[in-house]
Amino acid sequence: MAPADAHTDAGTGHAPQADTGAEDTLDLELSEEILALFGEDPPDTASPVPGGAGPAARARPAVSRAAASDLLDHPADWRPVTTPAGVFQLVPVRLERDLAVVTRWMNDPAVAAFWELAGPEAVTAAHLRPQLEGDGRSVPCLGVLAGIPMSYWEIYRADLDPLARHYPARPQDTGIHLLIGGVHNRGHGVGTTLLRAVADLVLDNRPRCARVVAEPDLRNTPSVSAFLSAGFRFSAELELPEKRAALMVRERIHRAQL
């Protein structure tokens, strides 16, 4: 996330740069043994990726949209929730509809400081497309509050992400990245409210998930503070390829105490 609350608002970005050697969410190839360990069915590798462009796209197995969403229990079907800030819903991104608004948010200096995706629409599209065309382990969403798109979220399988190499991941761990796009929604507790709501959405809709995790940049103290206020605990400092991060964890078992 970037600045939290005052800057949760900006966002917890996960955008490794091309020259760092960092791996993106979709770079881990899953063997059938790993899929079995995590309780997943191996994807069908018989047919090429429809519309795949470039070597990386061609190398990924073909998956239907329905099968892809299985990894995260169909975020498109998660119902709206009522929060103190208004009715909130996660709506999966559609590139043709949402690229302009997400690009505008990525070019906000407070967001760009952590997401590092400032630039033309092509830069944002290059970040979104691998998720939209991938196997469903990361789902980019708009956060719609009171009917207005005002934030960007990535709900992802942390146990199937390169992040899992840097902490003791458990099967079905679910991660969150976010940014709050509008300045008027920053600094008033909205970030904390929505973080709590999205963590609850994950736990309500993913019965096999025992933990929701996040890894905001340690420099982003407002973001870390927002996670703490939303019921996450600080678990560890992580040295990731693109940043030094705070591992934040919210556990299902402690939910009744929040």
PDB file of all heavy atoms in Angstrom, residues 5-22:
ATOM      1  N   ASP A   5      -4.102   5.383   5.317  1.00  0.00           N
ATOM      2  CA  ASP A   5      -4.982   6.283   6.008  1.00  0.00           C
ATOM      3  C   ASP A   5      -4.709   7.669   5.535  1.00  0.00           C
ATOM      4  O   ASP A   5      -5.495   8.284   4.866  1.00  0.00           O
ATOM      5  CB  ASP A   5      -4.842   6.176   7.518  1.00  0.00           C
ATOM      6  CG  ASP A   5      -6.178   5.918   8.112  1.00  0.00           C
ATOM      7  OD1 ASP A   5      -7.138   5.910   7.350  1.00  0.00           O
ATOM      8  OD2 ASP A   5      -6.283   5.735   9.306  1.00  0.00           O
ATOM      9  N   ALA A   6      -3.649   8.207   5.906  1.00  0.00           N
ATOM     10  CA  ALA A   6      -3.320   9.446   5.273  1.00  0.00           C
ATOM     11  C   ALA A   6      -2.717   9.048   3.979  1.00  0.00           C
ATOM     12  O   ALA A   6      -2.699   9.781   3.047  1.00  0.00           O
ATOM     13  CB  ALA A   6      -2.308  10.182   6.105  1.00  0.00           C
ATOM     14  N   HIS A   7      -2.238   7.855   4.028  1.00  0.00           N
ATOM     15  CA  HIS A   7      -1.604   7.332   2.828  1.00  0.00           C
ATOM     16  C   HIS A   7      -1.914   5.870   2.614  1.00  0.00           C
ATOM     17  O   HIS A   7      -1.463   5.314   1.675  1.00  0.00           O
ATOM     18  CB  HIS A   7      -0.100   7.508   2.898  1.00  0.00           C
ATOM     19  CG  HIS A   7       0.347   8.905   2.998  1.00  0.00           C
ATOM     20  ND1 HIS A   7      -0.148   9.926   2.249  1.00  0.00           N
ATOM     21  CD2 HIS A   7       1.253   9.452   3.789  1.00  0.00           C
ATOM     22  CE1 HIS A   7       0.457  11.047   2.567  1.00  0.00           C
ATOM     23  NE2 HIS A   7       1.287  10.779   3.485  1.00  0.00           N
ATOM     24  N   THR A   8      -2.657   5.209   3.469  1.00  0.00           N
ATOM     25  CA  THR A   8      -3.028   3.820   3.160  1.00  0.00           C
ATOM     26  C   THR A   8      -3.552   3.943   1.816  1.00  0.00           C
ATOM     27  O   THR A   8      -3.658   3.045   1.048  1.00  0.00           O
ATOM     28  CB  THR A   8      -4.225   3.362   3.997  1.00  0.00           C
ATOM     29  OG1 THR A   8      -3.925   3.404   5.315  1.00  0.00           O
ATOM     30  CG2 THR A   8      -4.620   1.987   3.598  1.00  0.00           C
ATOM     31  N   ASP A   9      -4.018   5.042   1.833  1.00  0.00           N
ATOM     32  CA  ASP A   9      -4.656   5.637   0.726  1.00  0.00           C
ATOM     33  C   ASP A   9      -3.823   5.471  -0.512  1.00  0.00           C
ATOM     34  O   ASP A   9      -4.356   5.186  -1.550  1.00  0.00           O
ATOM     35  CB  ASP A   9      -4.793   7.101   1.027  1.00  0.00           C
ATOM     36  CG  ASP A   9      -5.123   7.298   2.447  1.00  0.00           C
ATOM     37  OD1 ASP A   9      -5.564   6.366   3.080  1.00  0.00           O
ATOM     38  OD2 ASP A   9      -4.949   8.358   2.947  1.00  0.00           O
ATOM     39  N   ALA A  10      -2.641   5.749  -0.455  1.00  0.00           N
ATOM     40  CA  ALA A  10      -1.907   5.690  -1.677  1.00  0.00           C
ATOM     41  C   ALA A  10      -1.746   4.259  -2.094  1.00  0.00           C
ATOM     42  O   ALA A  10      -2.150   3.887  -3.149  1.00  0.00           O
ATOM     43  CB  ALA A  10      -0.581   6.337  -1.513  1.00  0.00           C
ATOM     44  N   GLY A  11      -1.144   3.409  -1.292  1.00  0.00           N
ATOM     45  CA  GLY A  11      -1.190   2.021  -1.683  1.00  0.00           C
ATOM     46  C   GLY A  11      -0.062   1.143  -1.260  1.00  0.00           C
ATOM     47  O   GLY A  11       1.032   1.594  -1.043  1.00  0.00           O
ATOM     48  N   THR A  12      -0.345  -0.168  -1.115  1.00  0.00           N
ATOM     49  CA  THR A  12       0.693  -1.154  -0.869  1.00  0.00           C
ATOM     50  C   THR A  12       1.058  -1.755  -2.189  1.00  0.00           C
ATOM     51  O   THR A  12       0.473  -2.739  -2.600  1.00  0.00           O
ATOM     52  CB  THR A  12       0.232  -2.296   0.021  1.00  0.00           C
ATOM     53  OG1 THR A  12      -0.821  -2.929  -0.636  1.00  0.00           O
ATOM     54  CG2 THR A  12      -0.190  -1.807   1.342  1.00  0.00           C
ATOM     55  N   GLY A  13       1.993  -1.193  -2.840  1.00  0.00           N
ATOM     56  CA  GLY A  13       2.285  -1.638  -4.182  1.00  0.00           C
ATOM     57  C   GLY A  13       3.114  -2.884  -4.214  1.00  0.00           C
ATOM     58  O   GLY A  13       3.879  -3.158  -3.322  1.00  0.00           O
ATOM     59  N   HIS A  14       2.971  -3.607  -5.312  1.00  0.00           N
ATOM     60  CA  HIS A  14       3.782  -4.812  -5.553  1.00  0.00           C
ATOM     61  C   HIS A  14       4.182  -4.739  -7.014  1.00  0.00           C
ATOM     62  O   HIS A  14       3.637  -5.413  -7.854  1.00  0.00           O
ATOM     63  CB  HIS A  14       2.956  -6.059  -5.283  1.00  0.00           C
ATOM     64  CG  HIS A  14       3.718  -7.331  -5.461  1.00  0.00           C
ATOM     65  ND1 HIS A  14       4.748  -7.692  -4.648  1.00  0.00           N
ATOM     66  CD2 HIS A  14       3.588  -8.332  -6.361  1.00  0.00           C
ATOM     67  CE1 HIS A  14       5.221  -8.875  -5.029  1.00  0.00           C
ATOM     68  NE2 HIS A  14       4.534  -9.274  -6.070  1.00  0.00           N
ATOM     69  N   ALA A  15       5.141  -3.862  -7.311  1.00  0.00           N
ATOM     70  CA  ALA A  15       5.495  -3.675  -8.713  1.00  0.00           C
ATOM     71  C   ALA A  15       7.002  -3.746  -8.883  1.00  0.00           C
ATOM     72  O   ALA A  15       7.685  -2.754  -8.986  1.00  0.00           O
ATOM     73  CB  ALA A  15       4.989  -2.319  -9.207  1.00  0.00           C
ATOM     74  N   PRO A  16       7.599  -4.954  -8.882  1.00  0.00           N
ATOM     75  CA  PRO A  16       9.042  -5.072  -9.046  1.00  0.00           C
ATOM     76  C   PRO A  16       9.503  -4.502 -10.376  1.00  0.00           C
ATOM     77  O   PRO A  16       8.832  -4.644 -11.385  1.00  0.00           O
ATOM     78  CB  PRO A  16       9.301  -6.582  -8.971  1.00  0.00           C
ATOM     79  CG  PRO A  16       7.985  -7.236  -9.121  1.00  0.00           C
ATOM     80  CD  PRO A  16       6.938  -6.228  -8.762  1.00  0.00           C
ATOM     81  N   GLN A  17      10.644  -3.850 -10.353  1.00  0.00           N
ATOM     82  CA  GLN A  17      11.184  -3.231 -11.552  1.00  0.00           C
ATOM     83  C   GLN A  17      11.925  -4.251 -12.397  1.00  0.00           C
ATOM     84  O   GLN A  17      12.468  -5.232 -11.907  1.00  0.00           O
ATOM     85  CB  GLN A  17      12.127  -2.083 -11.164  1.00  0.00           C
ATOM     86  CG  GLN A  17      11.425  -0.978 -10.379  1.00  0.00           C
ATOM     87  CD  GLN A  17      10.273  -0.402 -11.157  1.00  0.00           C
ATOM     88  OE1 GLN A  17      10.484   0.250 -12.170  1.00  0.00           O
ATOM     89  NE2 GLN A  17       9.065  -0.622 -10.710  1.00  0.00           N
ATOM     90  N   ALA A  18      11.984  -3.969 -13.689  1.00  0.00           N
ATOM     91  CA  ALA A  18      12.540  -4.945 -14.626  1.00  0.00           C
ATOM     92  C   ALA A  18      14.005  -5.244 -14.350  1.00  0.00           C
ATOM     93  O   ALA A  18      14.475  -6.333 -14.596  1.00  0.00           O
ATOM     94  CB  ALA A  18      12.384  -4.431 -16.055  1.00  0.00           C
ATOM     95  N   ASP A  19      14.754  -4.290 -13.801  1.00  0.00           N
ATOM     96  CA  ASP A  19      16.189  -4.496 -13.644  1.00  0.00           C
ATOM     97  C   ASP A  19      16.560  -4.993 -12.260  1.00  0.00           C
ATOM     98  O   ASP A  19      17.719  -5.063 -11.912  1.00  0.00           O
ATOM     99  CB  ASP A  19      16.953  -3.206 -13.958  1.00  0.00           C
ATOM    100  CG  ASP A  19      16.531  -2.058 -13.049  1.00  0.00           C
ATOM    101  OD1 ASP A  19      15.596  -2.241 -12.243  1.00  0.00           O
ATOM    102  OD2 ASP A  19      17.148  -0.980 -13.169  1.00  0.00           O
ATOM    103  N   THR A  20      15.606  -5.369 -11.428  1.00  0.00           N
ATOM    104  CA  THR A  20      15.937  -5.826 -10.092  1.00  0.00           C
ATOM    105  C   THR A  20      16.091  -7.331 -10.016  1.00  0.00           C
ATOM    106  O   THR A  20      16.569  -7.860  -9.017  1.00  0.00           O
ATOM    107  CB  THR A  20      14.830  -5.422  -9.106  1.00  0.00           C
ATOM    108  OG1 THR A  20      13.636  -6.089  -9.485  1.00  0.00           O
ATOM    109  CG2 THR A  20      14.633  -3.922  -9.080  1.00  0.00           C
ATOM    110  N   GLY A  21      15.619  -8.037 -11.024  1.00  0.00           N
ATOM    111  CA  GLY A  21      15.615  -9.486 -10.940  1.00  0.00           C
ATOM    112  C   GLY A  21      14.453 -10.025 -10.133  1.00  0.00           C
ATOM    113  O   GLY A  21      14.341 -11.210  -9.915  1.00  0.00           O
ATOM    114  N   ALA A  22      13.573  -9.126  -9.646  1.00  0.00           N
ATOM    115  CA  ALA A  22      12.426  -9.573  -8.870  1.00  0.00           C
ATOM    116  C   ALA A  22      11.445 -10.297  -9.761  1.00  0.00           C
ATOM    117  O   ALA A  22      11.325 -10.010 -10.940  1.00  0.00           O
ATOM    118  CB  ALA A  22      11.754  -8.373  -8.208  1.00  0.00           C
TER     119      ALA A  22
END
